[in-house]
Amino acid sequence: CDCRERPLDPVPDLNLGTVFILVGGFSLYIQMAIRLLFSSSFGGSIGRFDFGLKCGFNDGTPCTEENIAFKFEFNSFGHCIQGCLSILLFPFGRLFVRKVIFRQQTIHTMRCIRLAGASLVVAYPAYNIIKRCIKAASEFASSSFSNNASEWAAGFALGISTGLLFSALFAHEDSMAANSESEAPDDEDQGIIIAFRVVQKLQAACGALLVGTSIVSAAMFGLTWDNSAAKGDTEDDVDAGILLLMLCVPGSLILGSLILFWKGTLNTSSESFTEMQEIGQVRQ
């Protein structure tokens, strides 16, 4: 049997995990944009990518720490690079992994490695939200969560944009590489299918974690919005309007995804998984 892979589409494999990651990632991206738009009320500046003073009111204790994103330092670029792992959500990512990292592996193994790598994009946001909720829960909106998450979100958007571009540019090359491969043994096929199922479940769990992170982030922003050294003493740290606005971001993206799924626009069964199953079924 000549089992050949179909040419790439320049869009992500819309399995359940990918949809979760896209919803959570863009939710955080929009939240960071909203927070930056209000930076002046925290003593910051949009033009400098400055989110304002990095502390709450604290009984009037002087605060001079700046909350600036994309400083010329290792951590800033590290956060951005972690966000760029979103490029692996695209079928093009397996060609990148194959050429740069694992040159001797089959195209089908590359799928598993690509999806596993894409799942790692959620690691930093999850770590960031846990750290800030523990160390700066009462002044979350003023904390360094904003500048750190914005660096990650910029990388996430860059990865998506680059993935779209290169998937379109290299779709033909990836298809040629897949078609030129020799067939793998049946026992390897079964191992790949099992591994792919596990990786898909892992990606779905990681994607759900990212969606949860975006919801917690939205709630924490609203609940601590008025606790800022730049705003002085206020009767209540909660801003109901901001809380509603921030929660509407993940809520609307989740609702939109559900509507598209209900209409059949999103197929979370994943075409690539179907292809993986076909490898074992059609061999004689």
Side-chain angles (χ1 to χ4, degrees):
C1 171
D2 183 18
C3 294
R4 296 186 176 183
E5 186 171 340
R6 291 188 285 273
L8 291 176
D9 292 321
V11 295
D13 293 328
L14 291 179
N15 56 55
L16 188 60
T18 299
V19 172
F20 280 161
I21 290 174
L22 291 173
V23 168
F26 280 115
S27 175
L28 284 174
Y29 182 90
I30 296 170
Q31 288 178 45
M32 294 309 106
I34 294 173
R35 174 62 178 79
L36 188 61
L37 287 173
F38 285 92
S39 60
S40 59
S41 62
F42 289 84
S45 169
I46 296 177
R48 297 178 61 220
F49 227 137
D50 182 0
F51 287 86
L53 297 177
K54 197 192 298 185
C55 45
F57 177 66
N58 293 330
D59 297 324
T61 303
C63 177
T64 57
E65 285 190 88
E66 293 182 315
N67 202 358
I68 301 176
F70 286 105
K71 292 182 179 179
F72 195 73
E73 59 185 28
F74 175 80
N75 285 341
S76 288
F77 290 102
H79 301 155
C80 183
I81 290 171
Q82 290 179 72
C84 287
L85 288 174
S86 60
I87 193 173
L88 296 178
L89 293 172
F90 291 81
F92 152 77
R94 67 171 175 256
L95 180 62
F96 172 80
V97 172
R98 179 185 177 84
K99 287 194 170 185
V100 177
I101 305 174
F102 299 100
R103 296 174 180 270
Q104 302 302 318
Q105 300 298 323
T106 66
I107 200 76
H108 309 298
T109 304
M110 288 303 95
R111 281 202 188 97
C112 295
I113 296 174
R114 176 178 66 84
L115 290 184
S119 300
L120 296 177
V121 75
V122 314
Y124 183 72
Y127 161 79
N128 196 19
I129 193 76
I130 293 172
K131 180 180 178 180
R132 301 307 163 193
C133 284
I134 292 174
K135 297 182 65 175
S138 63
E139 51 190 42
F140 182 88
S142 301
S143 72
S144 56
F145 175 85
S146 297
N147 79 71
N148 293 337
S150 67
E151 292 162 353
W152 176 90
F156 183 85
L158 178 61
I160 296 295
S161 302
T162 306
L164 284 168
L165 173 63
F166 283 95
S167 286
L169 289 176
F170 294 104
H172 177 69
E173 182 177 349
D174 183 85
S175 178
M176 292 290 288
N179 290 340
S180 65
E181 286 191 340
S182 59
E183 296 183 0
D186 290 345
D187 57 346
E188 181 181 338
D189 295 339
Q190 294 303 316
I192 291 173
I193 292 172
I194 294 172
F196 197 80
R197 286 172 177 163
V198 172
V199 170
Q200 276 204 315
K201 290 179 180 179
L202 172 65
Q203 189 190 35
C206 289
L209 176 62
L210 187 58
V211 172
T213 296
S214 70
I215 294 173
V216 173
S217 169
M220 290 299 292
F221 271 125
L223 294 173
T224 63
W225 191 260
D226 288 335
N227 184 11
S228 169
K231 297 182 180 182
D233 192 13
T234 57
E235 292 183 2
D236 191 356
D237 296 339
V238 179
D239 188 311
I242 292 295
L243 178 61
L244 179 61
L245 174 63
M246 288 294 194
L247 286 175
C248 279
V249 174
S252 60
L253 291 175
I254 292 171
L255 179 61
S257 299
L258 289 174
I259 291 174
L260 291 175
F261 176 74
W262 178 66
K263 289 187 174 182
T265 305
L266 293 181
N267 179 15
T268 57
S269 62
S270 179
E271 179 180 280
S272 58
F273 179 54
T274 301
E275 290 179 352
M276 294 291 288
Q277 291 178 310
E278 288 174 352
I279 297 171
Q281 292 175 353
V282 299
R283 292 188 190 277
Q284 300 297 329

